[in-house]
Amino acid sequence: MKPCAASPFRREPFRQRLPGAGLLLSFLAAGMLCPVQPVWSAAPTVQGLVNQFDPVHYQDLLANKLYTRQGMNRAAGVGPELDLCREAIYAELESLGLAPVKDYFTYTDSNGVPRTACNIVAIKPGVQNPSNEIYVVGGHYDSKSNPGADDNGSGIACLLELARIFQPYHFAKTLVFCAFDAEEIYDYYGAHRLGSLRYVDQHRTDNIQGMIAVDMIAWQASGSSSNSAYIEGRPTVAAIRNDLRNAMLSYGEGLQPILRTSSGDLSDHVAFADAGFQACLLIEAYFSSNPNYHKLTDYVERPNYIDWTYAGKMCKTVIGYYATKLEPVDVSPRALACRPGAGGAMVLEFAGLPGCTYVVEVAPDLASRSWVSLQTNIASLADGLFQATDAQAAVRPAGFYRARFAAGYVGATPPQTDIIVDNPSASLVGVWSAGTSSTDKYGSDYRFKAAGTGNACVEFRPNLQRTGNYHVYEWHPQGANRTTDAPVDIGYLGGTNAFRVNQQINGGLWLYLGTFPFAAGTTGYVRIKDNFTTGSVVLADAVRFVYAP
């Protein structure tokens, strides 16, 4: 069998190109091998993705699937429609083939009652992502004991519409869809926005490049305040605020961005910003003037309330931002050559995306769809080339070869070597108050308590991925009323050690306590206790473990 160098490309009118399938090669009984031109589909453009926003589908999501009708209640922990909404979000993502996960967690509500909450997380992996770059789109699905159509059914509907549009395509970077629970409440210890706090605590060492909280995007202010949107975030996240602004100017159909820094800590982006990630909030301008904000009248069928055109502009801004950052790619391989090999074999050469995995298959005809795998190869990191050999080519009467995309290129995830346990993720024994006033705190809050017997403590327990020595650090906000002998116990591999820390000094920094051996897992701990003898209060804010090879 020899290549047919002079044969023209042929089209198969009955064939549809499968996503990720490359050029087909036909081999004939006469010993001729000819390339068959596929129906190419290049990677989508950003504008092309934005144009796929479907206002009818968005309206159906918000009005009919997210439990936003009059009289409904999605309050965290107690709302009768909360679990129904969670299942609807899960089902929608599952129907798209995104394999969502329900991440349950417990908390104690402000009345001291144990509750269960649940984040819904789905991941669309990037396929050209050697540095494991991740973008997160998030919104909360709980409400303020009301139907929560605008706050925040509108944001969740945007997240689901984004998932629908992006799912058929491939992107270089990874996108994580997060529907957060328990954003609207405070727990017994004063922690707020519990769902996003939990997610960030689980992913502090991820390479998160950007996160947008989509929260309240379907009510439009009137008059001169109309056709505008707030992009909120602290000064340290200016980069993502500017990127979202540019996306709005490019794809928001005339929507005018208003960048704000003074009032940026209002939604689920806060936990991400506290952890050092670029994160901001997209929210309707002048949202506090919304007459139905946090009221029973925030329901979707309320006359002249939800502005579908305005919501569409907000969604297109979100689509434009993520499409730009994720970088759409075409994973289809190209057939370069086919040549005779030893013993009548056929050697097939292809080019694909560097580092990606491709399967080369053979079939007797296209109608049967009986494709048999010949070989699986990883495209060269240097030039994307790969090849396969059909050792049985000489005895096949006729048929077709194809190469198809199988998996993307994602860099290995290194073990976590710098683990921070903030107080919202710590275990509390006894009653500890939450404080926020100290400006040198770590994150958004800290715990404090008056003197006791030592039975009360805040326990910081890391989940370490490797056994070895770790430097241990403690963080506290300093002040004149703090104790000068805060009791700190460290439990490590083979023993314990007790320290006393002067919390009137060295605040707002990582205070080195020592280096200790720890086993992989969760057996190690740091406990800050209440049996101090000087000052008025002891503080427990955050603890850090740094691997020391």
Side-chain angles (χ1 to χ4, degrees), residues 68 82 314 420 521:
T68 59
L82 179 72
M314 296 285 266
I420 296 174

Side-chain angles (χ1 to χ4, degrees), residues 417 466-471 515 546-549:
T417 58
R466 59 171 66 174
T467 298
N469 292 325
Y470 286 80
H471 304 312
T515 301
V546 179
Y547 181 66

Side-chain angles (χ1 to χ4, degrees), residues 30 34 39 57 75-76 113 152 233 242 292 349 367 379 400 409 422 425 512 524 539 545:
C34 306
V39 184
H57 184 251
V113 179
N152 179 42
N242 288 331
N292 305 300
E349 296 179 353
F400 295 83
Y409 171 43
D422 199 3
S425 301
Y512 176 68
L539 272 65
F545 302 80

Side-chain angles (χ1 to χ4, degrees), residues 179-526:
F180 297 119
D181 197 356
E183 189 268 355
E184 295 283 11
I185 63 165
Y186 290 85
D187 72 3
Y188 186 75
Y189 304 102
H192 192 23
R193 296 177 286 265
L194 306 183
S196 52
L197 281 174
R198 174 174 174 82
Y199 181 86
V200 169
D201 188 58
Q202 294 170 319
H203 298 275
R204 287 184 183 276
T205 60
D206 287 2
N207 189 14
I208 297 175
Q209 295 293 301
M211 184 272 179
I212 297 175
V214 186
D215 196 346
M216 298 178 65
I217 63 168
W219 172 82
Q220 181 171 204
S222 60
S224 60
S225 301
S226 65
N227 204 41
S228 58
Y230 286 160
I231 299 174
E232 305 213 2
R234 57 192 63 168
T236 55
V237 300
I240 191 171
R241 287 191 294 114
N242 288 331
D243 287 345
L244 185 56
R245 170 187 176 275
N246 292 336
M248 185 175 293
L249 292 174
S250 297
Y251 306 107
E253 298 182 347
L255 201 61
Q256 293 302 303
I258 301 174
L259 274 63
R260 304 207 311 173
T261 59
S262 59
S263 302
D265 284 359
L266 296 171
S267 190
D268 286 305
H269 66 295
V270 174
F272 290 81
D274 283 344
F277 300 123
Q278 287 288 305
C280 68
L281 166 66
L282 177 65
I283 191 169
E284 61 209 21
Y286 309 99
F287 65 91
S288 59
S289 298
N290 181 338
N292 305 300
Y293 178 41
H294 283 179
K295 294 181 180 179
L296 295 177
T297 49
D298 182 10
Y299 54 87
V300 69
E301 71 271 32
R302 184 174 179 81
N304 304 313
Y305 177 40
I306 298 298
D307 190 319
W308 300 107
T309 300
Y310 177 81
K313 294 180 179 181
M314 296 285 266
C315 288
K316 290 179 180 180
T317 296
V318 173
I319 296 166
Y321 169 82
Y322 284 104
T324 300
K325 291 298 183 181
L326 296 179
E327 302 172 17
V329 294
D330 182 6
V331 299
S332 303
R334 293 178 292 116
L336 299 180
C338 47
R339 54 182 173 80
M346 182 62 64
V347 179
L348 312 169
E349 296 179 353
F350 300 88
L353 286 178
C356 291
T357 301
Y358 291 90
V359 178
V360 179
E361 299 172 316
V362 63
D365 58 70
L366 293 177
S368 70
R369 301 188 182 277
S370 300
W371 293 97
V372 177
S373 175
L374 288 176
Q375 196 168 339
T376 299
N377 274 313
I378 297 176
S380 166
L381 286 175
D383 52 21
L385 298 180
F386 64 97
Q387 68 177 30
T389 299
D390 182 7
Q392 304 298 316
V395 298
R396 299 185 194 278
F400 295 83
Y401 297 112
R402 75 175 182 186
R404 62 176 177 83
F405 172 82
Y409 171 43
V410 179
T413 302
Q416 296 182 14
T417 58
D418 192 341
I419 299 95
I420 296 174
V421 183
D422 199 3
N423 70 87
S425 301
S427 299
L428 281 69
V429 178
V431 178
W432 293 73
S433 300
T436 59
S437 59
S438 293
T439 58
D440 57 346
K441 61 184 177 294
Y442 182 86
S444 59
D445 62 2
Y446 50 89
R447 306 295 175 181
F448 66 92
K449 189 182 182 300
T453 62
N455 291 325
C457 70
V458 178
E459 182 179 89
F460 300 83
R461 190 177 288 269
N463 187 0
L464 303 176
Q465 295 185 3
R466 59 171 66 174
T467 298
N469 292 325
Y470 286 80
H471 304 312
V472 180
Y473 303 84
E474 178 263 355
W475 184 296
H476 62 265
Q478 70 183 41
N481 70 332
R482 290 16 172 190
T483 180
T484 60
D485 64 340
V488 179
D489 289 354
I490 300 178
Y492 54 89
L493 183 61
T496 60
N497 218 329
F499 295 84
R500 294 280 171 162
V501 174
N502 184 350
Q503 294 188 332
Q504 293 188 3
I505 59 174
N506 297 320
L509 54 80
W510 289 114
L511 180 65
Y512 176 68
L513 299 178
T515 301
F516 305 90
F518 288 87
T522 59
T523 58
Y525 62 84
V526 172

Side-chain angles (χ1 to χ4, degrees), residues 130-149:
S131 299
N132 294 311
E133 295 178 54
I134 297 169
Y135 289 83
V136 179
V137 57
H140 68 92
Y141 68 94
D142 63 312
S143 71
K144 196 74 170 179
S145 300
N146 66 347

